[in-house]
């Protein structure tokens, strides 16, 4: 995102809107905005390297001078918009908001059959954002479990090798609000996975949010509960429940 | 994505007033012709007592220019939501959804025991769950818990920390009520899953404490 300094009046309205804290006010060096009645000493500037191209300032700050504009996004910078702007649609999933169907449609897709846990590691969430090199570090660490990364996911598309979790080199310094590493493991693999994450979390400069999805047992119990408890992990009292209304239902036993 | 998950909450009473129902089709399985079914969900949700609705693909009511536009612009493949502040309304909505048999996937976010009760009372059986195992990595970079609670109600991180702090400052200065501040914080959340009812309670508390 960019700000036209010849229009900006330096009012600062846009500054607090930026989730990446990339907008600030600076001393004006260029000409005064056209039509201004009094001298404007300040101008809003965007730290282009920190901007994640999320679109919040353009959409929500309601710049009174209409000074914020979207420059042409060219690869690899275009990845920032894909992973940060909720209204940008991913070509893989055709879903807006950098996400995937994961457990939301599990009764229809059978993506996570019984005995399998779906994992999502959302790097950069909440608040900190992330460079993609941190996402690569985590992806390469969990790849040691021979996981298959979800193919219908824009994060997987950024990998140069989906076996090792290696990312395309030109993307490593790109800044995004978040990127979701998504894969499945057998529920028995959860302890090993948690151990890997406890190690790699110390090697990154951002935060990540971790979640586990699973098909419930026939009696309604949670097959991942004992593994999570044994690992001593905190688990939120609130979460998502797919109530099984999608049609057609996947036929049990035919799912992968 | 997991945008209706990871809604941090420390007060169980406040979490009891925070539900999101998400509805979507599945790519290449039942997405063709899904638009009218999704629109029907919006109607059911509003009739059942939803306090907000929104569309990941097209944006919230402020971005689209009104609730009628949100309903009108739903497309096939959209991922749409409704926010509720009480269990009774969720149960009402689920009962009608079950009877309507739209064939779209329905995911309810909220306290698991509350959502379980909603399913039981509406004759539904939970199929799959998604649990948050919290925040990992450099968590010392995160602000005060109350700020994170508000921020995580927009799963795409569109409600910035500085905007939340500015809202708190305005409440403290007597310029905004907590309700007005919460409604303003809702605006950047394009999916419309930010719960202004719960946010107002947290904001009022933060304005007293910070």
């Amino acid at each position: 995102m960019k700000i036209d300094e010849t229009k900006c009046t330096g009012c600062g309205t846009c500054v607090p809107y930026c989730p990446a804290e990339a907008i600030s006010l600076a001393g004006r060096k260029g000409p005064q905005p056209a039509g201004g009645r009094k001298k404007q000493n300040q101008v809003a500037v965007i730290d282009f390297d920190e901007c994640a191209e999320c679109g919040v300032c353009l959409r929500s700050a309601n710049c009174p001078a209409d000074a914020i504009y979207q420059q042409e996004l060219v690869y690899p910078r275009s990845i920032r918009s894909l992973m940060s702007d909720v209204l940008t649609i991913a070509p893989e999933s055709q879903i807006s908001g950098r996400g995937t169907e994961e457990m939301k449609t599990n009764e229809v897709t059978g993506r996570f059959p019984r005995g399998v846990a779906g994992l999502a590691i959302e790097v950069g969430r909440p608040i900190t954002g992330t460079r993609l090199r941190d996402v690569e570090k985590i992806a390469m660490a969990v790849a040691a479990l021979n996981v298959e990364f979800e193919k219908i996911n824009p994060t997987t598309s950024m990998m140069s090798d989906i076996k090792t979790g290696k990312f395309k080199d030109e993307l490593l310094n790109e800044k995004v609000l978040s990127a979701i590493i998504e894969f499945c493991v057998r529920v028995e693999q959860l302890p090993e996975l948690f151990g890997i994450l406890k190690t790699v979390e110390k090697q990154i400069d951002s935060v990540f949010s971790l979640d586990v999805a699973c098909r419930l047992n026939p009696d309604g119990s949670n097959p991942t509960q004992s593994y999570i408890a044994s690992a001593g992990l905190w688990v939120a009292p609130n979460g998502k429940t797919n109530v099984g209304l999608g049609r057609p239902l996947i036929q049990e036993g035919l799912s992968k | 994505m997991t945008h209706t998950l990871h809604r941090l909450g420390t007060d169980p009473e406040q979490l009891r007033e925070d539900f999101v129902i998400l509805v979507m089709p599945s790519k290449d399985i039942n997405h063709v012709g899904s638009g009218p079914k999704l629109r029907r969900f919006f109607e059911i949700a509003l009739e059942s007592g939803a306090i907000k609705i929104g569309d990941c693909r097209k944006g919230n009511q402020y971005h689209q220019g009104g609730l009628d536009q949100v309903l009108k612009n739903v497309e096939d493949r959209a991922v749409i939501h409704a926010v509720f502040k009480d269990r009774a309304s969720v149960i009402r909505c689920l009962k009608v959804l079950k009877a309507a048999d739209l064939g779209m996937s329905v995911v309810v976010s909220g306290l698991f025991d509350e959502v379980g009760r909603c399913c039981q009372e509406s004759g539904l059986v939970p199929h799959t769950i998604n649990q948050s195992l919290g925040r990992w990595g450099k968590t010392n970079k995160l602000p005060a818990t109350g700020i994170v609670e508000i921020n995580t109600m927009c799963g795409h991180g569109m409600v910035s920390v500085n905007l939340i702090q500015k809202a708190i400052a305005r409440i403290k200065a007597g310029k905004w009520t907590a309700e007005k501040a919460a409604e303003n914080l809702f605006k950047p959340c394009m999916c419309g899953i930010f719960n202004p009812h719960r946010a107002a309670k947290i904001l009022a508390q933060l304005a007293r404490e910070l």
Side-chain angles (χ1 to χ4, degrees), chain A residues 93-108:
Chain A
S93 62
Q94 287 297 302
I95 294 176
S96 56
R98 66 189 173 270
T100 65
E101 291 188 24
E102 29 96 347
M103 58 74 76
K104 300 182 196 103
T105 56
N106 195 43
E107 80 279 40
V108 173

Side-chain angles (χ1 to χ4, degrees), chain A residues 171-227:
Chain A
L171 295 176
L172 294 178
N173 195 44
E174 293 303 323
K175 168 89 182 280
V176 299
L177 287 192
S178 76
I180 307 170
I181 303 166
E182 192 182 349
F183 55 92
C184 296
V185 296
R186 301 286 311 169
V187 289
E188 309 84 62
Q189 290 179 289
L190 284 172
E192 193 178 354
L193 173 71
F194 295 148
I196 288 170
L197 293 176
K198 283 177 180 176
T199 300
V200 77
E201 75 165 332
K202 299 182 181 76
Q203 299 164 9
I204 60 170
D205 196 38
S206 50
V207 299
F208 63 85
S209 293
L210 174 66
D211 66 86
V212 179
C214 63
R215 171 88 159 96
L216 293 171
N217 290 325
D219 65 358
S221 61
N222 171 4
T224 65
Q225 191 171 19
S226 60
Y227 297 102

